Amino acid sequence: MFTTFTALALAGGALRLVLQWQLKTRWGISLGIPQALAGALVVLAGLPEFIKPFPFPVPLGLTLGLLLPDLLLRGA
């Protein structure tokens, strides 16, 4: 059985994959977020609620799944 974190990370990765594929086939563009911004968003999603400077309603697993390609791969 998958944990909620794993299921959200897989769902985020699948959503990112489908979004990349559709953007590439329709308009020929590629979506990318700078590594520093992606890292900051992952850290913000992982903070406890009482420490967050502003509300960030996306769970850590989903955020990590969406931004993992940007964190691991360096764009040219």
Side-chain angles (χ1 to χ4, degrees):
M1 293 292 292
F2 288 123
T3 62
T4 305
F5 178 80
T6 308
L8 283 172
L10 289 174
L15 181 67
R16 173 70 183 258
L17 182 68
V18 169
L19 182 64
Q20 274 295 99
W21 177 60
Q22 285 295 319
L23 286 173
K24 186 64 95 173
T25 57
R26 280 198 192 192
W27 293 293
I29 59 175
S30 179
L31 181 67
I33 298 173
Q35 285 182 339
L37 179 60
L41 288 174
V42 168
V43 168
L44 182 62
L47 287 175
E49 287 297 320
F50 62 90
I51 298 178
K52 289 184 182 179
F54 55 88
F56 191 72
V58 183
L60 177 62
L62 188 61
T63 305
L64 191 62
L66 284 170
L67 299 175
L68 195 60
D70 294 320
L71 292 171
L72 295 179
L73 303 174
R74 176 179 277 178

